[in-house]
Amino acid sequence: MPVLVMKFGGTSVANLDRIRRAAKRVGVEVAKGYDVIVIVSAMSGKTNELVGWVGETSPLYDAREYDAVVSSGENVTAGLMALTLQEMDVPARSWQGWQVPVKTTSAHSAARIEEIPTENITAKFGEGMRVAVVAGFQGVSPEGRITTLGRGGSDTTAVAFAAAFDAERCDIYTDVDGVYTTDPRIASKARKLDKIAFEEMLELASLGAKVLQTRSVELAMRYNVKLRVLSSFEEQSDAAGTLVCDEEEIMESNVVSGIAYSRDEAKMTLISVADRPGIAAAIFGPLSEAGVNVDMIIQNIAEEGRTDMTFSCPTDQVKRAEKAMADAKARGEINYHDLVADTDVAKISAVGIGMRSQSGVAAKMFKTLSDEGVNIKVIATSEIKISVLVDRKYMELAVQALHDAFELDKA
């Protein structure tokens, strides 16, 4: 029988009523003739509660025990979902990560999936089981310890299972009914997309759109897994939600598909750095080692052997970046006059595969922001994306203006 993967996020399984509603959706797919693999998250709020308990118990906790505790939320949901399906006379059983087994690396709380052998679940399907309810977000290390995949890891689990079992599709049920041209809370004209290309979704996910975890989109793109984002709170049809698919499956696409934003950005400038060969490596090497996620980079024209270097990073990594630069200066690796951090900025990005074949997108974006009196601090571009840093107070205005300028409310 064809295999379908269905993933339910925390809000979709937040209580027994919602688990029953999700189970009914699974029952509908079983009735259509699918063998279904259901990936579940912990009930809404449970993971945060478990993380809090670990922190209270041991501030310098053992990462292996952290994973043992934090992964338990998904186990509870998996068992309850299997019981609910059994009550509906659907042959189902729950699986924890180690029982499948979902083989991962040993990087506790940030493990990566290495292999999902299909034999155990396939054998049970052969014996009449119709639904395998798998606890998401978890696996087992080569040492036999429970691992977790990091926040949003259940999305990655779902796509990995869809790839391993060559599933017809991977449906991600969440609290939104698809992928929008921008955040509907900011732009009332935001429109739900019927289809979006993997690359566009990857950019939007990495730029702040919280619909899908970035790693799950990377996996789907690598293994060409069709992803569908759906709401678990609305009536479903086969055309519901947004299909994330290969670019070739989209007949005509707007030049710009979406406007993404991230309010938690900081702009950092090293003032008067000695300009010499290797200076960029001397700056960004220590930042990388300190775990600072650098995004945009600008180097000013050098004057009298000195230059300014500007980069952006998440606001919660500013202190780490300042320490890394101060340490590098103390070691004599870099020489700069001052490090200025501006934590009151936001990143706005226009994303679209149509940019590859059409010019004028950057000009239109900059003119639109200029007309609204929004000053651009930093610019970064890629083949299908243009990002700018602006003062945070202009973030919503910038998103709305760009959404209108590129007419994203029109199909």
Side-chain angles (χ1 to χ4, degrees):
M1 290 199 186
V3 173
L4 185 69
V5 174
M6 302 172 76
K7 182 261 174 179
F8 293 95
T11 52
S12 305
V13 292
N15 53 45
L16 289 177
D17 279 342
R18 290 189 181 174
I19 288 174
R20 287 187 193 103
R21 183 185 288 187
K24 282 180 186 168
R25 293 197 191 285
V26 177
V28 168
E29 301 299 346
V30 170
K32 288 180 187 174
Y34 287 105
D35 281 338
V36 182
I37 298 172
V38 175
I39 309 294
V40 291
S41 296
M43 290 170 155
S44 189
K46 284 295 174 193
T47 302
N48 287 340
E49 184 180 39
L50 294 166
V51 169
W53 287 347
V54 171
E56 278 184 49
T57 306
S58 171
L60 298 170
Y61 54 75
D62 179 340
R64 294 164 297 188
E65 299 306 339
Y66 169 94
D67 278 359
V69 173
V70 173
S71 64
S72 66
E74 280 72 15
N75 298 343
V76 172
T77 316
L80 291 171
M81 176 68 83
L83 285 170
T84 306
L85 287 161
Q86 288 170 11
E87 284 296 303
M88 294 164 48
D89 293 325
V90 176
R93 66 155 279 192
S94 65
W95 299 74
Q96 294 179 17
W98 63 271
Q99 292 173 300
V100 175
V102 178
K103 297 181 179 180
T104 73
T105 61
S106 303
H108 286 275
S109 80
R112 298 186 87 84
I113 296 173
E114 295 199 314
E115 186 190 357
I116 300 177
T118 58
E119 295 82 8
N120 290 344
I121 287 178
T122 302
K124 287 295 178 189
F125 279 141
E127 292 169 17
M129 177 186 74
R130 297 302 307 280
V131 181
V133 186
V134 180
F137 171 67
Q138 61 176 250
V140 60
S141 72
E143 296 78 30
R145 297 296 299 254
I146 293 167
T147 55
T148 64
L149 310 179
R151 278 306 171 96
S154 293
D155 283 352
T156 304
T157 305
V159 174
F161 269 84
F165 284 83
D166 197 19
E168 196 169 293
R169 197 178 62 245
C170 178
D171 287 348
I172 307 278
Y173 286 87
T174 179
D175 52 2
V176 295
D177 61 347
V179 180
Y180 279 73
T181 49
T182 195
D183 188 339
R185 293 168 299 183
I186 286 185
S188 57
K189 294 182 188 171
R191 177 176 56 84
K192 184 171 72 69
L193 297 163
D194 293 327
K195 289 183 177 180
I196 186 168
F198 288 126
E199 285 180 82
E200 292 172 322
M201 189 67 242
L202 194 56
E203 289 285 10
L204 289 172
S206 65
L207 292 167
K210 303 279 192 293
V211 182
L212 286 171
Q213 193 218 31
T214 311
R215 265 166 65 199
S216 70
V217 184
E218 283 174 357
L219 262 185
M221 188 167 149
R222 188 184 314 157
Y223 294 104
N224 202 15
V225 172
K226 280 187 182 175
L227 270 178
R228 197 167 62 152
V229 180
L230 304 138
S231 168
S232 53
F233 304 110
E234 297 196 356
E235 289 305 313
Q236 234 71 85
S237 71
D238 286 341
T242 300
L243 187 68
V244 187
C245 56
D246 197 275
E247 181 181 334
E248 289 158 13
E249 291 185 46
I250 302 172
M251 295 296 289
E252 277 297 325
S253 141
N254 286 344
V255 180
V256 172
S257 293
I259 306 295
Y261 68 89
S262 171
R263 56 164 53 89
D264 301 318
E265 296 289 323
K267 177 171 80 81
M268 307 198 70
T269 304
L270 283 163
I271 295 171
S272 189
V273 183
D275 190 26
R276 57 175 173 77
I279 188 61
I283 292 168
F284 296 106
L287 288 170
S288 171
E289 285 163 22
V292 177
N293 187 12
V294 173
D295 181 19
M296 305 166 158
I297 300 171
I298 290 182
Q299 182 174 357
N300 290 349
I301 296 168
E303 284 186 28
E304 298 174 7
R306 313 292 290 185
T307 185
D308 293 348
M309 187 80 81
T310 297
F311 60 91
S312 69
C313 69
T315 48
D316 61 3
Q317 295 177 6
V318 168
K319 290 275 184 282
R320 218 183 287 173
E322 288 173 339
K323 184 176 186 308
M325 292 296 88
D327 290 350
K329 186 177 184 179
R331 292 192 299 266
E333 293 168 8
I334 52 173
N335 178 349
Y336 61 89
H337 182 262
D338 200 5
L339 175 57
V340 178
D342 180 357
T343 56
D344 206 24
V345 295
K347 179 167 64 179
I348 315 289
S349 307
V351 175
I353 50 176
M355 289 186 197
R356 287 191 184 126
S357 55
Q358 195 150 334
S359 60
V361 177
K364 187 172 194 174
M365 184 172 180
F366 303 153
K367 171 99 172 48
T368 301
L369 294 174
S370 168
D371 290 347
E372 295 291 344
V374 178
N375 184 42
I376 297 170
K377 293 171 175 278
V378 181
I379 301 167
T381 63
S382 75
E383 197 178 25
I384 66 165
K385 171 198 77 179
I386 302 166
S387 294
V388 296
L389 281 189
V390 302
D391 283 327
R392 191 171 300 147
K393 65 183 178 184
Y394 295 125
M395 184 185 82
E396 295 194 10
L397 172 66
V399 169
Q400 289 163 354
L402 291 170
H403 195 273
D404 288 345
F406 289 108
E407 300 183 335
L408 295 184
D409 55 323
K410 296 173 186 169

